[in-house]
């Protein structure tokens, strides 16, 4: 079977001026002119990792999405706010071409050590070999342009389908930036922002469920290019929701992701 992800353009191209321009795979499902926040989260992780360096591992990234993220161009910057022998922190800003602040965030990085074998909770890894190929869980976007969900390799455990409620989904994506090899954590970011799109409780035509933020906590860098998300969404009549995801590679859990959701019925 041909891989849609491996044959897709990268999420972004970067010009000599440092501006990131979104390609079709970066387009979100809600608007033809704006990015899916997952690839943009990858840009935030990239900026923070470049600022801190490889000695410390990115363990937490929190991104507040303040306004839509235009495909036409984004400027991403990370500033180190603390750097000790054990940890580092950064502050991230993402601006559009008009210099409007679209998203802001923080990261935490911890020094890498080699402790050998240490005791940890036993977990049975998910079995990707048994997963069955399928379409992206959110289905069609709310526009007719090519978008994120059409450029993925997706598979589901046999007992899961495309019904409302909690789901587990395996995903492989294209690369983050043209001409670059993405880091393991950068490769996880697009999936991390998909929890609400995986575990929706009603289809987008019946209820909107956009996330206003993302907090990614990583305890081990993922290996390989297939990653899974076990996701559940909690929706409430006050118009607020939350999505929770456990992210895994083929060896077991590597991270958790939380999203705050704003719920809104579709316009008549």
């Amino acid at each position: 079977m041909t891989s849609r992800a491996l044959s897709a353009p990268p999420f972004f191209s970067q010009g000599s001026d440092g501006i990131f321009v979104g390609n079709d795979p970066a387009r979100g499902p809600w608007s033809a002119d704006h990015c899916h926040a997952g690839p943009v989260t990858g840009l935030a992780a990239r900026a923070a990792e470049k600022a801190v360096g490889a000695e410390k591992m990115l363990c937490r990234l929190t991104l507040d999405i303040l306004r839509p993220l235009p495909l036409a161009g984004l400027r991403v910057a990370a500033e180190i706010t603390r750097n000790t022998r054990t940890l580092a922190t950064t502050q991230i800003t993402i601006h559009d071409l008009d210099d409007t602040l679209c998203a802001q965030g923080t990261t935490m990085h911890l020094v890498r050590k080699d402790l050998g074998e240490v005791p940890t909770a036993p977990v049975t890894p998910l079995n990707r070999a048994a997963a069955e190929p399928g379409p992206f869980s959110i289905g069609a976007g709310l526009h007719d342009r090519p978008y994120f969900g059409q450029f993925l390799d997706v598979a589901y455990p046999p007992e899961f389908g495309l019904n409302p409620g909690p789901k587990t989904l395996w995903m492989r994506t294209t690369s983050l930036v043209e001409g670059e090899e993405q880091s393991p954590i950068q490769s996880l970011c697009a999936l991390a922002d998909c929890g609400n799109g995986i575990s929706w409780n009603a289809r987008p035509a019946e209820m909107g469920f956009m996330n206003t933020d993302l907090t990614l906590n990583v305890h081990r860098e993922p290996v390989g290019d297939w990653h899974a998300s076990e996701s559940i969404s909690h929706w409430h009549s006050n118009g607020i929701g939350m999505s929770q995801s456990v992210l895994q590679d083929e060896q077991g859990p590597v991270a958790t992701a939380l999203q705050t959701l704003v719920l809104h019925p579709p316009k008549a």
Side-chain angles (χ1 to χ4, degrees):
M1 179 179 296
T2 302
S3 168
R4 290 188 293 180
L6 299 183
S7 60
F11 286 126
F12 296 98
S13 299
Q14 185 180 26
S16 58
D17 54 4
I19 293 173
F20 295 96
V21 177
N23 298 315
D24 284 341
R27 181 177 287 110
W30 309 108
S31 166
D33 298 322
H34 298 112
C35 296
H36 188 291
V40 178
T41 303
L43 293 180
R46 175 185 179 275
E49 289 184 321
K50 283 182 173 292
V52 172
E55 182 185 28
K56 297 181 176 73
M57 188 184 101
L58 195 162
C59 295
R60 178 190 52 77
L61 186 158
T62 296
L63 192 67
D64 295 330
I65 304 165
L66 307 177
R67 61 185 67 246
L69 302 155
L71 280 166
L74 295 169
R75 294 186 177 92
V76 184
E79 178 185 359
I80 294 177
T81 53
R82 183 171 176 80
N83 198 357
T84 70
R85 291 175 60 184
T86 301
L87 63 86
T89 59
T90 75
Q91 183 167 351
I92 299 166
T93 55
I94 301 176
H95 291 82
D96 65 15
L97 297 180
D98 295 325
D99 206 31
T100 301
L101 183 64
C102 296
Q104 62 186 8
T106 60
T107 63
M108 170 75 74
H109 309 244
L110 295 179
V111 69
R112 300 172 185 273
K113 301 178 182 179
D114 185 2
L115 301 181
E117 293 293 328
V118 296
T120 188
V123 177
T124 301
L126 296 172
N127 182 5
R128 189 178 72 84
E132 300 172 353
F136 184 52
S137 58
I138 203 173
L142 300 184
H143 53 77
D144 59 1
R145 298 293 304 279
Y147 88 105
F148 176 83
Q150 298 169 342
F151 297 92
L152 307 171
D153 296 330
V154 175
Y156 298 87
E159 68 270 23
F160 286 84
L162 295 177
N163 297 316
K167 298 182 194 66
T168 296
L169 174 151
W170 285 95
M171 180 188 293
R172 179 166 60 181
T173 72
T174 186
S175 58
L176 181 63
V177 177
E178 185 177 6
E180 288 188 8
E181 182 177 348
Q182 61 190 355
S183 76
I185 291 175
Q186 292 167 30
S187 72
L188 194 64
C189 288
L191 176 63
D193 192 65
C194 286
N196 58 331
I198 294 170
S199 60
W200 45 265
N201 296 310
R203 297 184 183 277
E206 302 166 357
M207 180 68 71
F209 43 89
M210 289 188 292
N211 61 302
T212 59
D213 68 358
L214 171 65
T215 295
L216 173 64
N217 284 90
V218 185
H219 52 86
R220 174 173 65 80
E221 287 175 308
V223 296
D225 55 3
W226 277 97
H227 304 135
S229 178
E230 293 182 293
S231 302
I232 184 171
S233 286
H234 307 279
W235 293 3
H236 302 289
S237 58
N238 60 5
I240 298 171
M242 182 178 70
S243 174
Q244 301 169 277
S245 302
V246 176
L247 308 182
Q248 305 194 27
D249 61 14
E250 295 188 59
Q251 298 178 9
V254 299
T256 61
L258 291 175
Q259 299 167 296
T260 305
L261 309 180
V262 56
L263 308 178
H264 53 86
K267 296 179 181 179

